[in-house]
Amino acid sequence: MKKLFLLLFLCFILSPLRGEGFRFALLTDLHLNSDSLAYNDLKRSVDQINKIGKIDFVIVSGDVTEEGDRASLKKVKFLLDQLKVKYYITSGNHETKWSESGATDFGHTFGSDRFRFEYKGFLFLGFNSGPVLRMADGHVSPQDIVWMKNEMRKVGREKPVIIVTHYPLQDGDVDNWYEVTDAIRPFNVRAVLNGHYHSNRMLAYDGIPGIINRSNLRSKDKVGGYSEYEINSDSILVYEHRIGEAPKKWGGYSLKKNYFSADNSTYKRPDYSVNREYNNVKSKWVIKSDAGIYSSPVVYNDNVYVGDDLGFLSCYSLKDGKKKWRFQTGNRVVGTPAAADGIVVFGSADRNIYGLNAKNGNMLWKFQANEAVLGAVSIADGIAFIGASDRSFRALDIKTGKLKWEYTGLKGYVETRPLIYQGKVIFGAWDNNLYALDQISGKEIWKWNGNLTRMHFSPAAVWPVAANGKVFITDPQRAMTAIDLTSGKTIWRTFQSKVRETIGLSEDYKRVYGKTMQDSVVCFSTEGNLPKQIWATDVKFGYEHAPSMLQEKEGVVFGSTKGGMIFALDAFTGKLLWKHKICNSLINTVVPLNATSCVFTSTSGEIGILSTSASKKK
């Protein structure tokens, strides 16, 4: 049977293509912002395509803006709409990682972040390759993989297919590359077209032909440029077309040659050998949802509450993972909810904040903001505190949804979970600032900037912690900082450990923890006015930049990574207790239940409890 399938596979791969040849242009990595150079580079590409002609359509493969903001997206659309031929567009990480709309403005602006069309016998499919709001590797969502497979099934296995994503479909770029390549392997995929690298390269994704394309930007050259593709009966050829010059062919693939087979056994797959090394760590239960999850779980009254990429807030039994109910909003839920007094509160990219009955999921109230609500929720004294993308931070009564106060002094959107500490509400925004507001009135007490010069350096993803009169944060400039709780002035700031957006606090308030960008976890004292490292541990998790906070419970520090690993350390010595790999995608901030177990969610859709039979060694 296997030989018959292979024979049929080779027959349709090697069969000659029918129909006339055609040409199309591919634009990628436009990175439009307030910089006039990027705008001019795109305008010149559009003008040249229109002037020269002979282009049947245009594909745009992501990173069309620098910061994912609505104004820049509209500028891109204004220029692309001037094309005399139809264009098809999908998003890149700069539209999904930094996005005040929760990566929804792209679809609102262009109609969708997917495209599907057929042209002269070929099927073209383009889709988002993430990540959404969290700093991590690229990730193709479960729902996009299902959509892609269904579209290819509709046309059958003989029709040639060209796939378009922003990220290259390989290890190190897309964490679930193997799920994508395995999904497309049974079909007649002729090439996968990408951007992201800002250069021309020929690659293979588990044997499947891949072509990476130059950026539209001029970079260090005097002019920008784009790619042109020629498809004829024999080949798919790619040319670089610099502005004002003749196109130059630099690569291509045969349309008659077989580059890959149905067998994937020789290709690299994620390594789970660490689970054999620490074989006392097991999953008590794990379920797989049908959507990506960017929200950390909330444990309340023997239930687990989780928001997902399809806009659902679901309630699961803590005991066995059985789903009890789910409530659907109008768009994705990325901010971590909070629960108290029988009510669960959360925000949605549909611009609403919701209060639900925690027991049955019935909506008690809804508060409408002016933009997407991406912030995580903190609850104190019956009041929910949450930031949104309309440049406002709000305090709401959790029983009624009534607005207690609103702070409107933000210059960027909020995604973090606010810290409620000694009468202050402390949080960062994507405007380079950390804010401290009065908990009762919402009035600004202080604002910390730290001389940060780029929006991307904002302390906006970290969940702040506080002890001994100090607020502790880490930021993408790779620094850990202690800030005076009363005045907002910097007490100390250190770059020695190359932390990024992850921090945690010990239960006795004496230590703060940070996850570095390469292998290790560090521990600093909360006491004194100088940075004092207590311990550092090489956990060997590799390169790391996921904003998953470190959590201590009963003397054990729990952490997680972008590569699907959860680990545990002794809080006092830093000794590594265990590691366990759940999946190959980002694990959100875990919720420890005790010293030996924690609840987790992942961007690939897993929800579960991990536990170990071994107690922490003294």
Side-chain angles (χ1 to χ4, degrees):
M1 188 67 182
K2 185 175 180 180
K3 290 182 178 179
L4 177 61
F5 176 80
L6 183 58
L7 180 61
L8 292 173
F9 185 85
L10 290 172
C11 285
F12 79 72
I13 286 289
L14 297 174
S15 63
L17 295 170
R18 298 182 297 273
E20 300 175 1
F22 58 94
R23 297 178 74 91
F24 64 90
L26 187 145
L27 308 177
T28 189
D29 296 279
L30 318 179
H31 291 280
L32 246 72
N33 55 13
S34 58
D35 182 6
S36 61
L37 287 179
Y39 184 92
N40 289 336
D41 286 341
L42 177 57
K43 186 177 187 307
R44 289 174 180 176
S45 293
V46 170
D47 290 345
Q48 179 164 288
I49 292 170
N50 285 339
K51 181 179 179 180
I52 295 176
K54 299 182 180 179
I55 295 295
D56 294 277
F57 56 86
V58 174
I59 288 175
V60 187
S61 63
D63 274 8
V64 302
T65 67
E66 179 65 16
E67 298 176 355
D69 59 293
R70 186 176 302 152
S72 295
L73 288 169
K74 288 182 177 180
K75 286 183 181 179
V76 173
K77 187 175 189 301
F78 171 76
L79 290 175
L80 293 177
D81 284 349
Q82 295 177 30
L83 286 164
K84 295 179 180 179
V85 295
K86 194 167 185 178
Y87 68 89
Y88 304 89
I89 188 168
T90 188
S91 55
N93 55 294
H94 277 253
E95 285 79 61
T96 59
K97 167 60 188 89
W98 298 281
S99 173
E100 60 194 358
S101 70
T104 62
D105 270 346
F106 191 93
H108 294 154
T109 302
F110 295 104
S112 176
D113 62 357
R114 296 172 179 165
F115 63 77
R116 178 221 183 271
F117 68 97
E118 295 184 51
Y119 195 83
K120 293 188 176 180
F122 280 77
L123 172 66
F124 288 80
L125 298 175
F127 48 89
N128 169 42
S129 52
V132 176
L133 270 259
R134 308 293 182 236
M135 181 58 74
D137 291 341
H139 179 79
V140 179
S141 68
Q143 60 266 32
D144 280 339
I145 293 176
V146 170
W147 171 82
M148 175 187 62
K149 290 165 66 175
N150 287 338
E151 293 301 325
M152 288 190 289
R153 287 192 188 106
K154 290 177 185 177
V155 300
R157 295 189 174 186
E158 292 189 8
K159 183 177 286 291
V161 181
I162 292 178
I163 302 289
V164 181
T165 63
H166 179 68
Y167 274 112
L169 297 180
Q170 60 182 359
D171 184 21
D173 287 309
V174 174
D175 57 30
N176 63 335
W177 85 93
Y178 55 95
E179 292 181 333
V180 184
T181 59
D182 284 352
I184 64 182
R185 184 172 299 283
F187 301 92
N188 188 11
V189 175
R190 304 312 308 169
V192 179
L193 313 183
N194 315 103
H196 192 59
Y197 282 7
H198 292 222
S199 61
N200 297 322
R201 305 189 195 184
M202 305 287 291
L203 293 178
Y205 308 136
D206 293 348
I208 300 168
I211 304 176
I212 298 179
N213 298 269
R214 63 153 296 158
S215 167
N216 189 73
L217 299 173
R218 69 187 67 184
S219 186
K220 297 179 181 179
D221 299 327
K222 293 182 179 180
V223 294
Y226 52 90
S227 297
E228 282 187 18
Y229 282 82
E230 175 190 349
I231 294 185
N232 55 45
S233 60
D234 298 313
S235 308
I236 175 170
L237 304 174
V238 57
Y239 301 75
E240 180 178 2
H241 200 160
R242 288 160 54 94
I243 302 302
E245 300 179 7
K248 296 180 180 179
K249 183 172 68 176
W250 64 267
Y253 288 103
S254 169
L255 291 177
K256 294 185 175 181
K257 180 180 177 181
N258 173 35
Y259 290 97
F260 62 95
S261 70
D263 182 15
N264 67 359
S265 61
T266 61
Y267 300 113
K268 180 181 179 181
R269 291 296 181 261
D271 182 5
Y272 288 85
S273 61
V274 66
N275 295 348
R276 296 193 297 271
E277 182 180 356
Y278 297 93
N279 56 18
N280 62 320
V281 184
K282 305 291 183 182
S283 296
K284 182 178 178 181
W285 57 260
V286 178
I287 60 173
K288 182 73 180 285
S289 81
D290 54 0
I293 299 173
Y294 308 102
S295 161
S296 293
V298 171
V299 177
Y300 176 73
N301 284 352
D302 296 324
N303 292 321
V304 180
Y305 300 90
V306 177
D308 69 33
D309 199 31
L310 292 178
F312 288 98
L313 184 87
S314 300
C315 174
Y316 303 89
S317 167
L318 181 64
K319 180 180 179 180
D320 57 15
K322 182 180 179 180
K323 184 183 292 184
K324 293 185 175 182
W325 55 258
R326 70 176 185 172
F327 175 88
Q328 186 169 20
T329 73
N331 219 308
R332 59 169 47 104
V333 176
V334 294
T336 298
D341 301 331
I343 301 168
V344 57
V345 181
F346 66 101
S348 168
D350 71 0
R351 304 186 178 189
N352 290 300
I353 303 167
Y354 295 88
L356 307 184
N357 183 307
K359 186 175 182 179
N360 57 29
N362 291 336
M363 187 173 74
L364 302 175
W365 53 263
K366 179 171 67 173
F367 182 94
Q368 185 173 358
N370 298 313
E371 297 290 348
V373 184
L374 311 176
V377 184
S378 292
I379 295 177
D381 301 325
I383 304 297
F385 300 90
I386 183 171
S389 295
D390 55 6
R391 308 298 193 261
S392 292
F393 189 94
R394 297 175 174 89
L396 304 173
D397 186 292
I398 67 169
K399 292 184 179 180
T400 65
K402 182 179 178 181
L403 180 69
K404 304 296 288 185
W405 54 256
E406 181 177 3
Y407 174 81
T408 59
L410 306 178
K411 303 300 182 184
Y413 66 94
V414 177
E415 72 167 88
T416 184
R417 186 175 75 177
L419 167 68
I420 315 300
Y421 186 72
Q422 294 187 4
K424 296 179 179 64
V425 184
I426 302 166
F427 62 94
W430 285 106
D431 60 7
N432 288 343
N433 295 311
L434 187 78
Y435 296 84
L437 309 181
D438 182 85
Q439 181 178 343
I440 303 301
S441 67
K443 292 183 178 179
E444 182 181 307
I445 299 173
W446 52 257
K447 184 166 60 177
W448 178 92
N449 176 270
N451 296 317
L452 301 176
T453 57
R454 296 178 58 200
M455 178 274 282
H456 298 116
F457 289 160
S458 301
V462 64
W463 295 0
V465 297
N468 294 317
K470 307 177 193 71
V471 179
F472 298 90
I473 59 169
T474 53
D475 61 61
Q477 205 171 21
R478 306 182 184 186
M480 179 182 286
T481 306
I483 300 165
D484 185 88
L485 177 65
T486 302
S487 66
K489 294 182 179 179
T490 302
I491 296 175
W492 54 257
R493 182 169 171 83
T494 177
F495 294 83
Q496 72 180 76
S497 299
K498 290 191 168 114
V499 292
R500 188 181 173 97
E501 295 170 299
T502 300
I503 205 161
L505 179 68
S506 67
E507 291 178 300
D508 61 10
Y509 299 95
K510 293 182 179 180
R511 300 172 304 282
V512 287
Y513 312 107
K515 183 175 57 174
T516 76
M517 294 183 68
Q518 188 65 50
D519 286 319
S520 62
V521 173
V522 294
C523 172
F524 283 76
S525 173
T526 63
E527 300 173 325
N529 293 329
L530 293 173
K532 180 182 177 182
Q533 188 178 102
I534 298 173
W535 52 257
T537 301
D538 184 0
V539 183
K540 291 183 171 57
F541 45 61
Y543 177 72
E544 174 65 21
H545 52 12
S548 301
M549 306 306 125
L550 296 158
Q551 304 285 299
E552 182 183 328
K553 189 76 171 181
E554 298 176 0
V556 174
V557 179
F558 293 81
S560 57
T561 74
K562 69 180 178 66
M565 182 178 292
I566 299 175
F567 57 85
L569 307 172
D570 184 289
F572 300 96
T573 66
K575 179 183 178 181
L576 177 62
L577 302 176
W578 53 262
K579 297 187 289 186
H580 187 86
K581 190 173 176 67
I582 295 291
C583 57
N584 206 52
S585 301
L586 182 146
I587 303 289
N588 300 298
T589 300
V590 302
V591 177
L593 300 175
N594 48 50
T596 60
S597 62
C598 65
V599 183
F600 63 87
T601 58
S602 76
T603 58
S604 51
E606 286 88 358
I607 307 159
I609 293 180
L610 195 65
S611 63
T612 175
S613 58
S615 60
K616 182 178 73 72
K617 295 182 179 180
K618 299 292 184 180

